[in-house]
Amino acid sequence: MAAASSVSRLVVIIILINVGAKSDTTISVTASAAAGLLSSPIQLERKALLGTGWWVNNGATSGNYTSNHCKWTGISCNSAGSVTGVSLLLYENDNIKGELGRFNFSCFPNLKSFKIHSNYILSGSIPSEIAAVSMLQTLELPSNNLTDLFDNHLMGHIPPTLGRLSKLKILNLSSNSLVGSIPSTLGHLKRLRSLDLSLNELVGPIPSSLGHLTELTFFNIYSNRINGSIPLEIGNFNFLQVLDLSYNKLEGPIPSTIANLVNLTSLFLCNNSQTGFIPSTLGHLNRLTSLDLSGNNLVGPIPSSVGHLAQLTTFDMHSNRINGSIPLEIGNFNFLQVLDLSYNKLEGPIPSTIASLVNLTSLFLCNNSQTGFIPSTLGHLNRLTSLDLSGNNLVGPIPSSVGHLTQLTTFDMHSNRINGSIPLEIGNLKHVEDVYLFNNKLDGPIPPQLLNCSRLRALSLSNNLLSGSIPSEIGKLKELYYLDLSQNFINGKIPSQLGEIPSIDTVNLCTNNLYGSIPESLRKVPSLCVDGNNFEVENSPPPHHKKIATRLVAIILPMAAFLALKFGFLFVRRRRDKKVESAETGEITKCADEFAIWNYDGRITFQDMIEATEDFHIKYCIGTGGYGSVYRARLPSGKVVALKKLHRSETEELASLESFRNEARLLSQIRHRNIVKLYGFCLHRKCMFLIYEYMEMGSLFCVLRTDEEAIGVDWAKRVNIVKGMAHALSYLHHHCTPPIVHRDISSNNILLNSELEAFVADFGVARLLNFDSSNRTLLAGTYGYIAPELAYTMVVTEKCDVYSFGVVALEVLMGNHPGEILSSSSSSLDKNIKLIDLLDPRLSPPVDQKIRQDIILVSTVAFSCLRSQPKSRPTMQLVSNEFIARNKAPMQKPFHEISILELRNQEMYLVD
Ligand SMILES: *[C@@H]1O[C@H](CO)[C@@H](O)[C@H](O)[C@H]1NC(C)=O
Ligand SMILES: *[C@@H]1O[C@H](CO)[C@@H](O)[C@H](O)[C@H]1NC(C)=O
Ligand SMILES: *[C@@H]1O[C@H](CO)[C@@H](O)[C@H](O)[C@H]1NC(C)=O
Ligand SMILES: *[C@@H]1O[C@H](CO)[C@@H](O)[C@H](O)[C@H]1NC(C)=O
Ligand SMILES: *[C@@H]1O[C@H](CO)[C@@H](O)[C@H](O)[C@H]1NC(C)=O
Ligand SMILES: *[C@@H]1O[C@H](CO)[C@@H](O)[C@H](O)[C@H]1NC(C)=O
Ligand SMILES: *[C@@H]1O[C@H](CO)[C@@H](O)[C@H](O)[C@H]1NC(C)=O
Ligand SMILES: CC(=O)N[C@H]1CO[C@H](CO)[C@@H](O)[C@@H]1O
């Protein structure tokens, strides 16, 4: 992109109007001449011009057709009246017959310059007769439609005869749809200074014969499909100032002869497949102002010789495989404005010499392996508007000097190991719009100064160790639409001002220590998550049930949950199970070995995904969790899918790509009507994502937390949801080989379709039970749903899912997380709590006898699943069968009198 814009800035299109027609010595034209009776060469030229029909409308402004043609728009002549220049800008409304073939080049022996610019009106091919115009110096036919699919001879190709125009200095065929290859005869154009073939569909190599074009100052083949390697002869372009080979398919190393191009000011090789090292001779090009090698496969270090490129304003090497550390010499780039080294393998600390780049406006070092502290000298870069250090291994605090970066609009340091507290000086960033500090180890409170950043639109501090409360002044952030404070230790109450921010769209406060009630104002926020806090259970049960037991859980579990979410994306160990490979069914489309699709009736390409989400723009984000964010993507076919993009820090923790791929494929074979379908995955070096079936109603959690939606889920539907979950889990535990433990069953991971049917989703931490292993693992799951034994044994069994299922089942009945009801130590109170008191008060109590029996069954099952001894819990198979068979005798007691204690004491399901 940088390439395209710089190129267009370099050149000004000049449309000559009547240049050269100043002389009045031109022949006078008679009516008979206009009729074509005279046949002097001049009259033939005139006739040929009339024959094109291109000057019909121009006549209105430039006189009549019997007038001197040298005065027509865009025509210039020599003193003898012979045409030397044609420069036209054709408009669609000119009613022009826009075929290039209408211009008979053979009639214009003195033509030096021929320029036609149009908005793709001029069509046809470049006639090979053009070779007859031996005087031609300038040929500009950009942005036309020089391709004619009706003829397959030389149509749409660059005719090799062009090579005979030995006087040609400027050749611009940019932005046509030219196909075929660059004719090697162009190497005969020894006078050529400017060659622009950009934005066509040319294939094949750069002919080495072009090395003869020793007078070239401008060479641009940007955006074609040119392949092969860059010829060594490129080093012959002694005068070259601009070299743009970007967006092609060039391979091989950058030739070291490039060092001869001492006059070069712009070098664009981005988006090719170049390999090898960055030649250290690049340091000879000391007039370079723009250097863009991004989007290749370059390896090795950045040579320190680049320090000689003291004129650079842009230095872009993103998306390669460059390693080593950033050379200290980078501090020599006094004029640098853009430094982009993101998506490489750079290690070591950010050099403090970076502080010399006082003109820098954009600094992108994201997605590398940089270590060490964030240099406090960063504060010198006070022209910075974008700062992205995300996805590295940076440690230590955010230096308070960042407060000097008052022009910043984007401040991104997410996914590092940054600790300490958020500096108060962040409040000086008056222009900042996006602040991303998630996935770090930041502690302390959210500084109230942050609320001085009045332009803030997106703030993510998720997955840190932040405490303190949410400042009520948050209402001052009038532009805020995205707020993610999830997975911290934030306490206090949610200020109601938060919900009153006009643009607010997403609020994620999940997994904190918030309490009190959820303010009414927040309920209208389209995407809201408040799960995993200590909110009062509304209306029922009464507040005196908040008990010490929950407090205990509240102390042990946040730490465990934090660890779990940190290490959550722990897939099974590498599986070399051949069966898995061969059992693979359906169609698999691979894109560069990185993209696979199956289970899906259409084709999805990686590009579709990128386009559908505008490269994972936050506006398509529908949720964020510990190991990824979920996006909604509408495919070209109109079908909507959900994409879960893994955070980079998580993808790094995978044992290997191979085990991830095997795992994803294994999960793809799960076919159950209550399990969300995985359509595919992508392992791109820039991002990893999973593609799922999209569920219209979103998560069970969100449906239950929104009054209007919760009311729509009546008792029959709720019972159905619990049954669906039971069947899905029974299938995973008892019909998959090896059995699969989900490990993260929570209302967040149960999705609902438009029919309000339940689908188990999110196998991010799912684990296969290998009989030969101890199944010991780091804790995973969601606070509030994790089986108590996991906090101390760390042994994964199916019974962990059974417990979580019990929690969700109760939640479905209650409309809210069951809280302390979960704790068996509160059972002395159970006698006084009736089942009817637990039921979601937003629905009227069930009257239908069958529904009542179903509710009794669901709650009995749920309590049996919540037993603290794993072996006392039923298996999911038993539960699933129970829901199908219903072979227990109905409870005889009146529905209103059934107490929690009685439900807990049911002896059912004790044996497997
Ligand atoms: C060629 O024409 C295009 C389109 O008008 C223009 O953008 C470009 O700058 C021209 N190239 C040169 C080298 O003049
Ligand atoms: C056209 O030009 C000729 C010669 O210059 C002139 O005699 C004639 O009157 C013009 N006709 C019109 C309609 O302007
Ligand atoms: C072009 O002009 C030449 C010379 O006058 C003539 O011989 C030839 O037929 C013309 N071509 C067309 C396609 O009109
Ligand atoms: C280009 O020319 C072809 C054939 O002459 C025509 O079908 C097509 O519509 C033209 N394209 C544009 C953009 O005008
Ligand atoms: C370049 O592309 C053409 C057409 O796609 C292909 O035939 C040719 O083999 C390629 N050359 C190289 C060197 O890759
Ligand atoms: C660089 O360009 C200048 C003119 O701008 C020219 O005099 C000089 O010879 C060129 N350098 C080389 C090595 O050709
Ligand atoms: C920053 O850029 C300006 C021109 O935009 C230049 O005058 C100034 O010298 C540059 N700063 C340094 C330290 O080179
Ligand atoms: C290697 C690389 O990044 N290639 C990209 C070049 O640009 C085209 C079009 O934008 C992409 O499709 C390629 O992926």
Side-chain angles (χ1 to χ4, degrees):
M1 292 308 118
S5 57
S6 319
V7 169
S8 54
R9 251 182 278 124
L10 275 168
V11 184
V12 182
I13 305 160
I14 304 164
I15 303 300
L16 303 173
I17 299 180
N18 283 348
V19 177
K22 291 192 185 97
S23 150
D24 276 330
T25 60
T26 44
I27 51 159
S28 64
V29 182
T30 64
S32 56
L37 296 177
L38 296 183
S39 56
S40 74
I42 304 284
Q43 293 311 317
L44 280 178
E45 287 184 19
R46 182 187 170 76
K47 200 176 147 192
L49 288 179
L50 278 173
T52 59
W54 295 347
W55 278 272
V56 175
N57 292 342
N58 287 316
T61 51
S62 64
N64 71 37
Y65 291 97
T66 54
S67 65
N68 179 0
H69 64 265
C70 293
K71 291 189 174 176
W72 296 354
T73 301
I75 305 284
S76 40
C77 299
N78 62 16
S79 56
S82 178
V83 175
T84 55
V86 171
S87 179
L88 268 190
L89 185 55
L90 296 183
Y91 295 101
E92 198 141 23
N93 58 8
D94 286 344
N95 245 334
I96 294 278
K97 300 276 186 306
E99 291 114 40
L100 184 56
R102 290 177 158 261
F103 193 88
N104 190 340
F105 283 95
S106 322
C107 301
F108 299 92
N110 296 311
L111 196 63
K112 282 188 181 157
S113 170
F114 186 76
K115 311 181 191 184
I116 297 194
H117 293 238
S118 76
N119 190 17
Y120 304 100
I121 296 168
L122 189 75
S123 62
S125 59
I126 303 169
S128 49
E129 297 81 49
I130 202 166
V133 194
S134 59
M135 301 303 284
L136 203 62
Q137 291 179 10
T138 300
L139 181 59
E140 288 186 16
L141 296 167
S143 305
N144 286 303
N145 185 5
L146 301 184
T147 175
D148 190 335
L149 302 174
F150 300 108
D151 195 321
N152 51 14
H153 286 292
L154 279 179
M155 299 300 190
H157 289 62
I158 301 174
T161 51
L162 269 192
R164 288 195 223 141
L165 300 173
S166 57
K167 297 213 165 109
L168 208 60
K169 288 181 180 163
I170 296 172
L171 179 58
N172 189 349
L173 301 176
S174 163
S175 303
N176 283 290
S177 305
L178 296 169
V179 296
S181 55
I182 302 174
S184 63
T185 54
L186 292 194
H188 300 311
L189 306 176
K190 298 240 165 56
R191 301 273 174 82
L192 209 58
R193 292 194 183 148
S194 172
L195 177 58
D196 193 344
L197 306 176
S198 59
L199 294 156
N200 282 294
E201 282 154 38
L202 299 167
V203 296
I206 300 172
S208 59
S209 65
L210 294 195
H212 298 304
L213 308 181
T214 52
E215 294 185 13
L216 270 189
T217 60
F218 184 96
F219 183 53
N220 186 357
I221 57 167
Y222 156 73
S223 192
N224 278 283
R225 283 182 268 138
I226 304 291
N227 61 4
S229 54
I230 302 176
L232 295 178
E233 289 79 1
I234 205 142
N236 298 351
F237 300 157
N238 279 325
F239 295 92
L240 203 66
Q241 289 169 16
V242 176
L243 179 59
D244 192 344
L245 311 179
S246 57
Y247 293 85
N248 277 293
K249 297 177 182 296
L250 292 163
E251 312 149 349
I254 300 172
S256 59
T257 53
I258 209 155
N260 298 344
L261 312 185
V262 294
N263 274 340
L264 211 58
T265 58
S266 303
L267 176 57
F268 304 111
L269 302 180
C270 50
N271 198 305
N272 277 290
S273 304
Q274 314 254 226
T275 50
F277 291 90
I278 301 165
S280 67
T281 54
L282 212 58
H284 293 294
L285 308 182
N286 59 11
R287 293 193 190 176
L288 273 186
T289 58
S290 300
L291 176 60
D292 190 345
L293 308 180
S294 63
N296 282 289
N297 296 317
L298 299 169
V299 296
I302 299 173
S304 60
S305 64
V306 299
H308 298 301
L309 309 181
Q311 308 293 315
L312 280 184
T313 59
T314 301
F315 187 66
D316 191 346
M317 301 208 164
H318 81 262
S319 302
N320 277 286
R321 289 190 255 144
I322 298 168
N323 59 13
S325 53
I326 302 177
L328 296 179
E329 289 78 1
I330 208 149
N332 299 352
F333 301 159
N334 279 323
F335 297 94
L336 204 66
Q337 290 170 13
V338 177
L339 178 59
D340 191 347
L341 303 175
S342 58
Y343 295 94
N344 277 295
K345 296 175 183 296
L346 291 164
E347 311 144 350
I350 300 172
S352 59
T353 52
I354 211 157
S356 314
L357 312 183
V358 293
N359 275 339
L360 210 59
T361 59
S362 303
L363 176 57
F364 302 109
L365 302 179
C366 48
N367 292 58
N368 278 289
S369 303
Q370 313 253 224
T371 50
F373 291 90
I374 301 163
S376 68
T377 53
L378 208 62
H380 291 289
L381 309 182
N382 59 11
R383 295 194 188 175
L384 272 188
T385 58
S386 300
L387 174 61
D388 190 348
L389 308 179
S390 65
N392 280 291
N393 295 318
L394 298 169
V395 296
I398 299 173
S400 60
S401 63
V402 298
H404 297 301
L405 308 181
T406 52
Q407 304 298 311
L408 270 192
T409 58
T410 302
F411 183 53
D412 193 345
M413 297 195 171
H414 80 261
S415 301
N416 278 287
R417 301 193 202 150
I418 299 169
N419 59 14
S421 53
I422 301 173
L424 315 181
E425 290 78 4
I426 199 164
N428 298 345
L429 308 184
K430 292 285 185 290
H431 291 99
V432 79
E433 293 174 357
D434 303 309
V435 172
Y436 301 116
L437 299 174
F438 57 95
N439 294 348
N440 277 297
K441 297 176 190 299
L442 293 164
D443 56 25
I446 300 170
Q449 285 83 353
L450 183 61
L451 309 171
N452 295 338
C453 303
S454 57
R455 300 210 183 154
L456 204 59
R457 298 179 314 149
L459 174 63
S460 179
L461 305 175
S462 162
N463 197 8
N464 277 291
L465 306 166
L466 297 169
S467 53
S469 56
I470 304 172
S472 61
E473 294 85 358
I474 194 135
K476 281 170 32 185
L477 301 177
K478 293 280 178 263
E479 308 288 323
L480 194 70
Y481 75 92
Y482 182 90
L483 177 67
D484 190 349
L485 305 178
S486 63
Q487 297 172 58
N488 280 292
F489 297 98
I490 296 170
N491 52 39
K493 299 182 174 183
I494 304 178
S496 64
Q497 288 89 339
L498 181 55
E500 286 153 17
I501 299 175
S503 46
I504 197 80
D505 176 72
T506 300
V507 172
N508 188 350
L509 305 175
C510 284
T511 321
N512 277 294
N513 295 332
L514 294 160
Y515 56 81
S517 58
I518 300 159
E520 203 50 41
S521 62
L522 220 57
R523 296 192 186 271
K524 66 173 174 14
V525 173
S527 176
L528 173 70
C529 181
V530 290
D531 189 21
N533 282 289
N534 303 323
F535 293 117
E536 286 161 15
V537 179
E538 281 154 62
N539 306 323
S540 162
H544 71 265
H545 290 299
K546 301 242 160 248
K547 277 296 160 235
I548 300 152
T550 343
R551 284 278 144 233
L552 204 71
V553 173
I555 293 162
I556 298 168
L557 287 191
M559 212 45 228
F562 173 72
L563 279 173
L565 290 156
K566 245 346 215 189
F567 303 102
F569 203 86
L570 202 84
F571 268 113
V572 280
R573 61 189 55 84
R574 180 186 293 264
R575 293 178 46 80
R576 293 206 174 279
D577 189 347
K578 278 283 174 269
K579 263 197 309 206
V580 174
E581 279 295 319
S582 57
E584 206 176 275
T585 51
E587 185 183 341
I588 295 188
T589 315
K590 278 191 183 183
C591 167
D593 237 323
E594 295 175 324
F595 188 68
I597 287 291
W598 60 92
N599 253 0
Y600 183 74
D601 49 3
R603 282 178 163 263
I604 316 177
T605 68
F606 174 69
Q607 201 58 31
D608 288 340
M609 295 300 168
I610 299 299
E611 274 163 25
T613 58
E614 289 177 52
D615 205 359
F616 296 102
H617 193 280
I618 203 154
K619 72 185 179 198
Y620 297 100
C621 184
I622 50 176
T624 301
Y627 32 84
S629 300
V630 183
Y631 297 77
R632 184 180 188 276
R634 181 181 291 279
L635 299 176
S637 66
K639 174 148 184 146
V640 176
V641 296
L643 292 190
K644 189 167 81 177
K645 181 170 183 268
L646 308 182
H647 294 322
R648 173 162 163 110
S649 60
E650 302 302 331
T651 64
E652 276 175 350
E653 281 166 18
L654 292 175
S656 71
L657 295 188
E658 190 57 31
S659 78
F660 170 79
R661 189 181 287 132
N662 282 344
E663 176 74 355
R665 284 185 184 173
L666 186 104
L667 288 177
S668 80
Q669 292 164 54
I670 298 176
R671 304 273 165 84
H672 189 276
R673 66 175 312 253
N674 295 107
I675 296 178
V676 76
K677 278 192 194 63
L678 181 70
Y679 287 144
F681 66 85
C682 172
L683 299 173
H684 194 265
R685 69 188 155 113
K686 285 189 190 173
C687 65
M688 283 191 181
F689 58 76
L690 300 158
I691 307 161
Y692 290 99
E693 185 179 9
Y694 182 71
M695 293 289 152
E696 294 83 346
M697 292 299 290
S699 71
L700 173 63
F701 173 82
C702 288
V703 167
L704 290 180
R705 293 324 183 265
T706 317
D707 288 351
E708 302 83 64
E709 290 182 1
I711 288 166
V713 195
D714 62 24
W715 293 118
K717 295 217 171 77
R718 291 190 189 208
V719 169
N720 235 352
I721 287 170
V722 175
K723 287 181 181 175
M725 278 169 57
H727 298 327
L729 288 172
S730 169
Y731 169 85
L732 289 173
H733 293 176
H734 303 286
H735 297 98
C736 291
T737 323
I740 295 170
V741 180
H742 185 285
R743 297 209 303 165
D744 195 9
I745 293 293
S746 76
S747 57
N748 257 315
N749 293 335
I750 305 298
L751 303 183
L752 302 179
N753 68 3
S754 53
E755 315 289 333
L756 294 168
E757 295 174 280
F759 291 78
V760 175
D762 210 329
F763 288 77
V765 292
R767 195 184 150 80
L768 308 180
L769 283 189
N770 276 339
F771 298 114
D772 58 349
S773 76
S774 66
N775 292 319
R776 271 171 190 276
T777 181
L778 286 162
L779 187 53
T782 301
Y783 167 52
Y785 298 88
I786 303 170
E789 73 271 17
L790 270 183
Y792 46 88
T793 67
M794 298 275 173
V795 175
V796 183
T797 68
E798 306 95 314
K799 293 297 178 70
C800 308
D801 281 354
V802 175
Y803 181 90
S804 308
F805 164 82
V807 180
V808 180
L810 273 191
E811 190 177 354
V812 170
L813 294 185
M814 296 170 63
N816 219 324
H817 189 272
E820 74 279 17
I821 304 275
L822 297 181
S823 164
S824 54
S825 45
S826 66
S827 56
S828 58
L829 297 160
D830 288 346
K831 202 156 50 156
N832 302 323
I833 311 173
K834 301 279 186 261
L835 171 59
I836 189 97
D837 294 323
L838 284 189
L839 298 183
D840 192 344
R842 291 170 296 185
L843 297 188
S844 39
V847 284
D848 178 84
Q849 203 49 45
K850 182 183 174 299
I851 291 290
R852 284 182 169 186
Q853 285 303 327
D854 274 336
I855 289 173
I856 294 169
L857 179 61
V858 167
S859 47
T860 310
V861 165
F863 280 114
S864 68
C865 292
L866 292 172
R867 288 176 184 142
S868 51
Q869 286 300 318
K871 64 177 194 294
S872 322
R873 297 173 202 149
T875 62
M876 283 320 297
Q877 190 160 38
L878 208 72
V879 173
S880 170
N881 289 344
E882 199 58 40
F883 283 135
I884 295 166
R886 301 198 58 215
N887 49 15
K888 287 284 172 299
M891 264 217 203
Q892 296 309 324
K893 243 183 154 176
F895 188 70
H896 288 86
E897 285 175 33
I898 297 169
S899 72
I900 303 294
L901 189 65
E902 284 170 279
L903 294 171
R904 273 198 214 278
N905 288 345
Q906 290 285 308
E907 286 299 305
M908 62 202 311
Y909 317 123
L910 270 183
V911 265
D912 280 3

